[in-house]
């Protein structure tokens, strides 16, 4: 997850942002405690690539934009899901069903592109 007001942190270093998922979530919430609106913007990115030898054959990227909540909500999912709010669905990722999450998540979008690519081979 990349948070605009945190200059893209925690980013690819999410696992190092705290010893547990709860600690990582709390650190993000603490760092954003005085910010509102657009400053709480966050994104998930997922990229898949297929390569052969030294040649890149195909890539797909999925992206999900949202915002960081003021407090965790929901019991599903993992990682930053309880604090990542998706305005279009008016839920955090942790409040979504697996089907809802797979339809909107960055990973789900990239996997769908991968599935279509592989089906066309």
């Amino acid at each position: 997850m990349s948070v605009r007001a945190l200059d893209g942190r925690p980013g690819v270093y999410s696992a190092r942002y705290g010893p547990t998922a709860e600690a990582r979530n709390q650190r993000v919430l603490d760092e954003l405690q005085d910010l509102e609106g657009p400053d709480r913007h966050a994104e998930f990115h997922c990229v898949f690539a297929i390569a052969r030898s030294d040649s890149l054959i195909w890539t797909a990227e999925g992206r999900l934009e949202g915002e960081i909540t003021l407090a965790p909500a929901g019991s599903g999912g993992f990682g930053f899901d309880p604090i990542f709010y998706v305005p279009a669905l008016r839920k955090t990722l942790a409040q979504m069903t697996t089907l809802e999450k797979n339809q909107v998540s960055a990973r789900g979008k990239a996997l769908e592109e991968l599935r279509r690519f592989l089906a066309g081979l």
Side-chain angles (χ1 to χ4, degrees), residues 59-115:
T59 62
E61 179 180 356
R63 190 171 100 183
L64 175 62
E65 294 188 47
E67 54 194 58
I68 302 301
T69 59
L70 297 175
S75 59
F78 61 94
F80 295 111
D81 289 0
I83 64 169
F84 192 93
Y85 181 77
V86 180
L89 294 177
R90 297 169 45 187
K91 297 179 182 181
T92 66
L93 290 171
Q95 293 172 312
M96 293 181 193
T97 66
T98 301
L99 180 61
E100 286 175 316
K101 184 177 173 184
N102 287 342
Q103 290 174 340
V104 300
S105 75
R107 185 177 293 124
K109 290 174 185 177
L111 278 171
E112 179 56 26
E113 282 192 45
L114 175 60
R115 185 194 66 74

Side-chain angles (χ1 to χ4, degrees), residues 13-96:
Y13 300 106
S14 292
R16 298 180 188 128
Y17 223 59
T20 66
E22 292 79 16
R24 289 186 285 276
N25 286 338
Q26 192 58 54
R27 180 174 174 188
V28 170
L29 293 174
D30 290 347
E31 291 178 339
L32 297 177
Q33 70 182 358
D34 296 327
L35 302 177
E36 297 179 357
D39 288 331
R40 297 183 80 84
H41 179 270
E43 296 181 359
F44 276 106
H45 294 266
C46 180
V47 177
F48 289 106
I50 296 176
R52 183 178 6 203
S53 299
D54 291 329
S55 175
L56 181 64
I57 297 172
W58 176 87
T59 62
E61 179 180 356
R63 190 171 100 183
L64 175 62
E65 294 188 47
E67 54 194 58
I68 302 301
T69 59
L70 297 175
S75 59
F78 61 94
F80 295 111
D81 289 0
I83 64 169
F84 192 93
Y85 181 77
V86 180
L89 294 177
R90 297 169 45 187
K91 297 179 182 181
T92 66
L93 290 171
Q95 293 172 312
M96 293 181 193

